[in-house]
Each structure stands twice: as C-alpha cells, then as structure tokens.
Amino acid sequence: MTTRQPGPLTRPASAPVRRRRRSLSQRLRPAGLGAGAVRALCAVNILLLVWMVATSLRGSKDIFDDPVGLPTHPRWSNYTAAWRTGGFGQAMANSLFASRPRPRTRCRAPSGARAAR
C-alpha cells in the first residue's frame, strides 16, 4: 500500500477551495445564446423609441411625404397641442391620485372565523 504525497498539481484535502472572484463586468455580462437575443430586442426597442420621438417632432405633411425621414424643422408645438387636445393633464392627475400613498389597513378575518377558534 502506497500513500500519495501532494504534488504541485494536487492540493491537500484539508485546504479550502479558493474561488477566483469575478469582476463586476463579468458578473453583469449575460452568457449564452439568450444574451444575444436580449441584446437584439433591446436594440430594436431603442430604435423604435428614437423613431417615435423623431416622428412626433414632424408635421403631418412631412410624415406622409417621407415616413422614415428625420424632421428637418422640429415642431415642438406638437407636444403642447397633444397635451391640450388629448386631455393628458387630467389623465396625469388621475394617475397621481390613483398611485398616491395610502395608510396600511389591517386585514381582519370575518367574525365567524374568530368565533370558530
């Protein structure tokens, strides 16, 4: 029966395993095929957002003449007109009212459940 001595490539059984700490960029980087799909979807969403903002700064005639083009003369008045005619002020007030902080209420069991104890 021979005993094996730990060599340079083996470690003793009692030695703790030290794992190399990954950097922040390695921990945040997604891996695999799914990461490519997520990046592609993010890129498409960003492009759609840019297109939406660019189109909102154009007039109706410009949009129908060249649907994909950039605005030559941005019309910031489109936002004020949409705010007034679309009722966004009232919608924002309703949203703020609905999302206001409220005091917590205690959930109480019906009186019959308390009597059954």
Side-chain angles (χ1 to χ4, degrees):
M1 182 162 134
T2 61
T3 59
R4 187 171 176 198
Q5 296 295 326
L9 297 178
T10 61
R11 61 177 174 77
S14 62
V17 176
R18 287 189 169 205
R19 294 185 186 240
R20 188 173 161 197
R21 186 176 171 114
R22 295 178 0 175
S23 68
L24 180 64
S25 64
Q26 289 173 334
R27 284 183 277 161
L28 294 178
R29 184 181 309 136
L33 184 61
V38 169
R39 287 187 184 112
L41 286 173
C42 287
V44 167
N45 283 324
I46 289 171
L47 286 174
L48 289 173
L49 181 66
V50 168
W51 185 31
M52 180 183 68
V53 170
T55 304
S56 72
L57 294 172
R58 299 171 67 194
S60 298
K61 185 178 183 303
D62 293 338
I63 292 172
F64 289 117
D65 288 345
D66 185 17
V68 188
L70 293 174
T72 53
H73 302 290
R75 294 179 53 182
W76 296 101
S77 61
N78 288 346
Y79 287 108
T80 57
W83 188 273
R84 287 184 186 139
T85 60
F88 286 109
Q90 182 66 40
M92 182 181 285
N94 291 342
S95 296
L96 291 174
F97 179 75
S99 62
R100 74 189 185 283
R102 294 180 207 130
R104 286 187 157 181
T105 58
R106 290 180 52 187
C107 295
R108 296 187 180 191
S111 60
R114 274 187 268 155
R117 290 186 193 182

